[in-house]
Amino acid sequence: DAGITQSPRYKITETGRQVTLMCHQTWSHSYMFWYRQDLGHGLRLIYYSAAADITDKGEVPDGYVVSRSKTENFPLTLESATRSQTSVYFCASNNRRLNTEAFFGQGTRLTVV
Amino acid sequence: TQLLEQSPQFLSIQEGENLTVYCNSSSVFSSLQWYRQEPGEGPVLLVTVVTGGEVKKLKRLTFQFGDARKDSSLHITAAQPGDTGLYLCAGAMVKAAGNKLTFGGGTRVLVKP
């Protein structure tokens, strides 16, 4: 199906475990983003990517790793999950032009116990 | 401290009433976007405003971008239960790299029938 999809939708993991959240888009958008959403903080940018093999840190990158070997995929890895990383994670994409709409996935609700 | 401050954080009104949500910053933005998010979903774009002083109307929703491009407002006339949701403003910084958006903390709107 066309669009931007995230998997899994829900994940429970234990402290210290590595977990990867997947994001796939079918529009060939250049830019992809990972945000986390927490009560009282809105959406905060974790990492973003301007193209395949080009990634950069956002506002809250500590504890996260990203890669982008293909334009359509942008996985986010928590190397050693902590309780403070319990959140809802959103992947988004848009194209090169300024002021264009960001398209969001449905989110992954991650709980670290 | 968030770059974009939204107020109020929560708004509960009766069907038929009007409401206004504010988005303020000390920074200048090249554009400002408003998104609406429903539970379990990602944000969806409502409008993008680009020019200082610009006013855009989308049916019962009126969006305004401040003259100095530092603030914006969303006004809903005769609110309906279907307007219930989380409203997020997002700004693209004038010199931002990577099409990055900075989000406000969100305003949760509840319209009671």
Side-chain angles (χ1 to χ4, degrees):
Chain A
D1 289 345
I4 183 165
T5 54
Q6 293 183 233
S7 61
R9 289 295 309 275
Y10 304 93
K11 177 74 176 178
I12 299 175
T13 192
E14 294 178 337
T15 300
R17 288 196 180 266
Q18 182 180 84
V19 60
T20 296
L21 310 183
M22 305 302 292
C23 179
H24 176 79
Q25 54 105 352
T26 60
W27 294 299
S28 298
H29 281 167
S30 299
Y31 288 95
M32 296 188 75
F33 310 86
W34 274 106
Y35 291 90
R36 59 177 290 174
Q37 186 172 38
D38 306 287
L39 277 173
H41 290 280
L43 285 159
R44 290 183 291 175
L45 183 64
I46 304 170
Y47 269 95
Y48 67 100
S49 169
D53 297 322
I54 301 175
T55 63
D56 208 346
K57 296 178 180 179
E59 183 185 351
V60 288
D62 293 344
Y64 303 95
V65 174
V66 293
S67 62
R68 194 160 175 213
S69 57
K70 293 183 178 181
T71 300
E72 60 266 31
N73 296 323
F74 192 38
L76 175 73
T77 297
L78 287 67
E79 295 185 295
S80 178
T82 65
R83 289 194 179 88
S84 65
Q85 292 177 309
T86 292
S87 186
V88 181
Y89 291 85
F90 286 98
C91 178
S93 72
N94 67 12
N95 62 29
R96 284 188 184 277
R97 291 179 290 126
L98 289 176
N99 307 325
T100 54
E101 176 178 2
F103 294 86
F104 284 83
Q106 290 185 299
T108 295
R109 183 175 292 276
L110 176 68
T111 302
V112 183
V113 299
Chain B
T1 304
Q2 286 190 294
L3 195 59
L4 273 170
E5 297 287 340
Q6 279 188 245
S7 62
Q9 288 186 302
F10 179 71
L11 203 52
S12 178
I13 60 171
Q14 292 294 136
E15 182 176 2
E17 294 181 339
N18 301 333
L19 69 97
T20 302
V21 177
Y22 298 94
C23 179
N24 295 298
S25 176
S26 57
S27 300
V28 177
F29 295 97
S30 63
S31 68
L32 202 135
Q33 298 179 340
W34 285 92
Y35 289 80
R36 181 163 160 262
Q37 184 180 15
E38 300 198 27
E41 302 291 332
V44 176
L45 182 71
L46 294 173
V47 78
T48 300
V49 284
V50 178
T51 306
E54 183 176 3
V55 176
K56 278 192 175 179
K57 291 193 174 183
L58 189 66
K59 296 183 181 178
R60 294 175 294 100
L61 278 61
T62 301
F63 304 86
Q64 190 160 7
F65 201 12
D67 291 340
R69 291 186 291 144
K70 292 181 179 181
D71 54 83
S72 181
S73 64
L74 156 62
H75 182 78
I76 301 179
T77 303
Q80 299 176 358
D83 295 324
T84 292
L86 179 67
Y87 290 83
L88 295 157
C89 65
M93 299 292 290
V94 171
K95 293 183 179 180
N99 280 4
K100 290 186 296 181
L101 292 172
T102 299
F103 281 83
T107 296
R108 196 164 296 278
V109 172
L110 173 63
V111 182
K112 293 180 279 190

